[in-house]
Each structure stands twice: as structure tokens, then as C-alpha cells.
Amino acid sequence: MAVLGLYTDYGENHAGHPVRMFSYNTTLVVLLDIVSLSLLLPVVLLSCSRKDRLFLKVLDILDKVEQNLQQDLPDRKAKVKMFLVCTVIMTLIVCNGALDFTSSLSTGRLNHMRSLCYIPAQFMYFAQAALFLHFTKITESIALRFRTINGEIKEALLGNRSERIVLRESPRINVSESVGGVSSICKVKSLMDTYWMLCEAVQKANIFYGGQLLVTFLSSFFQTTIALYYFFFFVINGFAMAATFGGAWIIAQVAHLVLLTRPSTLVTEMADDTAPMICKLINMDLDPTLVELLEGILMQLRKHNARFTALGFFQIHNSTLTAMAGAVTTYLVVLIQMRILYS
């Protein structure tokens, strides 16, 4: 139906009765808006159907990690997050439909059916929301487990140092033969095995989400640029209601990108915190065998890669948002200049 709406609007523009496409610039904007949004659903469905085994392996690894840590790490905020996201999307879709309806009345031509043609395409935002909830749930779980592992490794190393201090003050006990040193070594080995399992989970999840993340970031890039483009002209021309809705849409798009990127950044930060933490603690008075084990772990940590990317094109990290903001600003200026030039 979105294709039908594009076709009829394009025909009206050529006939001299424009409704949305008042210029070639707006034609390009509307086309990019609909096409980028329409790509979401097929990519999400294809990835979920063709790579579902990878996702099941990720869930299996997370279950094993939870068993190894012997901790239950529930997420009680999932239902609340789902309700809020769906509510925001429905509110924006209804407001957009109402805005199209009122704009068709103001033009003096009844284009209600043509406006309705674009509403099914906007339901693609639910595919984007599903990916958002899906991805953030997994990344938050992985980041929480990395944090738990780091805390337990630190606790084990500090415990080993404290025990050696106590044993050194007791002349009847041989420090090198302490049972506590052996238990600390076993615990660190077990925790690092769990750590490598989490790194494997990140790699598999990265393969599963790569294409979906690329498309959703591409769509959000176009949506944010287009929303800012229309917001600028709504403000200049004094359309208060349209400007208010456009501002809300911009806030929703920016919040989506920030909240989508933050958990992935946490995964990277928590995974990268392990090596500096071990480097700080390895120089303490630890068991020599434990020190040797930690040195081997530090060599292995150089090769690990707990990072999410969009099919390898760019990293899903907070720094990506800064680069994206610069690109949005550049293309926004180009669009405005083109609109002013050809108006």
C-alpha cells in the first residue's frame, strides 16, 4: 500500500496537484523515508528465520554461564520496557495519521485514502521495536554477566592476598601449601572459562544481529535527517502543531539510537575492564601459581573481541552516535540548501 501511495502522490505531483511531493527534493525525501522503513521487516524476518539456531546457541550459552556463576540474574523491567515502547509507537502513528488527515483538509482536496496508504508502512516501526527489545535484552544480560565475572575475579584475588597475609603471620603453616591458594586458582580458572563462553556468545549474537543492526541504523539515520528537515520548515512557516509532532518524532528517534547503543557499549566496557583490573591486582602478594595463571590470561585477553558491529561496517558504540550526528548535520544542510535553491 505504501507503493500505491507513492505512485499516486507522484502522479498528482506531475499533474500539478501536489499533496506531499511539492518538489523533487521532497520526492527524494519521501522515497528514502518509505524505502528505508520498508526494508526493516524483510531483513528482520529473514535473519530470524535463517539464523535462529545461532540465537538458540546464544541463549544456551547464557544459561550455562548463569549455572556456572550460580546466580539468578532476572530482568524485571522487560515487560515495562515493551509496554512503553509500543505505547510510544502507537501514539506517534496515530498523531502522524491525524496530521496527514488535517493537512489533506487544508489543501482543499480529499486525500484521506491516499494518507491511509502510508499507515501500514509505519507499522514497520514495530519490527524496529522488536529488534530493539530483542537486542537490548541480550546485550544487557551479557554485560551484567561480564560485570559479575569481573567482581568475582577481583574478590578471589583479594581473598588470596588476605589469606597469604594471615598465613604468613602463622609460622606453623606453610604458605606455599595453603588450601586457599589452590581454591583461588580453581575459582579464577572457572571464572575465566565462563568469560570465554560469554565472548563466544557475543560473536554468535553479532552474526545474528549484524544485518538487522545495519538496516535499523540506516533507517534511523534517514528518519532522523528527514524529521529534522521537516521540523526546520515547520518552524520557519509557523506550523505549530506539525512542529510539535516533528519535535516529538526527533526525540523518539534519538532516544531509540541512544538506548539501542548503550547496552552494546556496556558489553565492550565490561569485557575490556577485565585486563586492567587483573593488571592492578597481579602485583599484590599473590600465590606464585596464581600469578602465572593470570599472566597467561592477560596474553589471551589481547585476542578477545567482545564488540557488536553492523556487519563489520561500524561498531555499535557511543562513539558511533557522534559520527552519525555529524553525518546527519551534513546531509540536513545539503537538503535545506537544495530546497532553498529549487524553491
Side-chain angles (χ1 to χ4, degrees):
M1 290 188 70
V3 175
L4 178 61
L6 285 172
Y7 175 77
T8 53
D9 278 337
Y10 189 74
E12 288 289 327
N13 185 32
H14 273 282
H17 305 291
V19 179
R20 290 178 181 80
M21 302 176 180
F22 294 93
S23 64
Y24 289 108
N25 202 23
T26 53
T27 302
L28 174 63
V29 167
V30 173
L31 184 64
L32 288 174
D33 188 3
I34 299 300
V35 170
S36 64
L37 190 59
S38 300
L39 282 175
L40 278 171
L41 185 59
V43 171
V44 171
L45 289 178
L46 284 174
S47 296
C48 291
S49 60
R50 295 179 61 185
K51 302 177 181 178
D52 58 323
R53 293 184 180 179
L54 278 174
F55 182 71
L56 293 176
K57 288 181 180 178
V58 172
L59 294 180
D60 184 54
I61 291 173
L62 292 180
D63 287 338
K64 290 180 180 178
V65 168
E66 194 166 321
Q67 292 175 5
N68 291 347
L69 296 176
Q70 297 180 351
Q71 291 184 4
D72 186 17
L73 304 173
D75 185 6
R76 300 178 181 177
K77 300 179 181 179
K79 293 182 179 179
V80 177
K81 185 190 296 183
M82 182 180 297
F83 175 77
L84 289 175
V85 169
C86 292
T87 302
V88 170
I89 292 175
M90 283 304 302
T91 302
L92 292 175
I93 289 175
V94 171
C95 290
N96 195 23
L99 190 63
D100 280 346
F101 181 80
T102 54
S103 64
S104 65
L105 291 177
S106 64
T107 58
R109 296 174 56 86
L110 296 179
N111 299 289
H112 309 324
M113 294 304 297
R114 191 173 303 131
S115 298
L116 292 175
C117 288
Y118 289 97
I119 292 180
Q122 294 178 18
F123 279 95
M124 298 295 179
Y125 285 113
F126 283 102
Q128 192 177 51
L131 172 61
F132 170 79
L133 295 169
H134 216 251
F135 179 72
T136 54
K137 168 67 177 178
I138 293 298
T139 48
E140 286 173 357
S141 299
I142 294 174
L144 181 59
R145 284 158 176 79
F146 270 125
R147 179 181 295 172
T148 304
I149 290 173
N150 288 341
E152 294 199 6
I153 290 176
K154 183 176 182 179
E155 182 181 348
L157 297 183
L158 292 175
N160 181 266
R161 184 191 65 171
S162 300
E163 183 183 8
R164 286 179 62 84
I165 292 174
V166 172
L167 293 176
R168 189 175 290 106
E169 295 175 354
S170 178
R172 297 181 180 180
I173 303 177
N174 189 351
V175 178
S176 61
E177 297 177 356
S178 65
V179 178
V182 176
S183 64
S184 297
I185 293 172
C186 293
K187 185 175 182 180
V188 171
K189 283 183 178 179
S190 175
L191 289 171
M192 287 310 302
D193 288 340
T194 307
Y195 181 96
W196 305 131
M197 289 173 62
L198 276 180
C199 290
E200 182 184 359
V202 171
Q203 293 175 358
K204 293 185 181 300
N206 208 10
I207 297 173
F208 178 77
Y209 287 113
Q212 302 177 63
L213 290 172
L214 178 62
V215 173
T216 194
F217 266 83
L218 180 66
S219 176
S220 295
F221 170 76
F222 286 127
Q223 294 290 328
T224 305
T225 306
I226 292 167
L228 287 168
Y229 170 77
Y230 279 114
F231 179 76
F232 175 79
F233 287 102
F234 287 152
V235 172
I236 293 297
N237 295 318
F239 298 129
M241 189 175 103
T244 302
F245 173 70
W249 193 255
I250 293 169
I251 293 172
Q253 289 292 337
V254 172
H256 165 255
L257 288 173
V258 172
L259 295 176
L260 182 69
T261 307
R262 182 55 186 164
S264 175
T265 305
L266 283 176
V267 170
T268 302
E269 290 177 352
M270 292 297 104
D272 290 346
D273 280 348
T274 306
M277 182 264 295
I278 292 177
C279 288
K280 290 179 181 178
L281 300 178
I282 198 173
N283 294 322
M284 299 188 307
D285 185 18
L286 300 177
D287 189 284
T289 308
L290 180 58
V291 172
E292 184 178 352
L293 173 64
L294 294 176
E295 290 174 349
I297 290 172
L298 289 174
M299 294 294 293
Q300 291 177 309
L301 284 172
R302 295 179 181 178
K303 302 178 182 179
H304 91 283
N305 185 17
R307 288 167 174 77
F308 286 95
T309 64
L311 281 182
F313 287 99
F314 54 86
Q315 187 179 343
I316 310 301
H317 194 270
N318 288 341
S319 58
T320 306
L321 297 180
T322 306
M324 190 172 180
V328 167
T329 304
T330 301
Y331 285 102
L332 177 62
V333 171
V334 171
L335 286 173
I336 293 175
Q337 288 177 341
M338 289 176 61
R339 174 67 182 270
I340 295 174
L341 181 63
Y342 292 103
S343 62

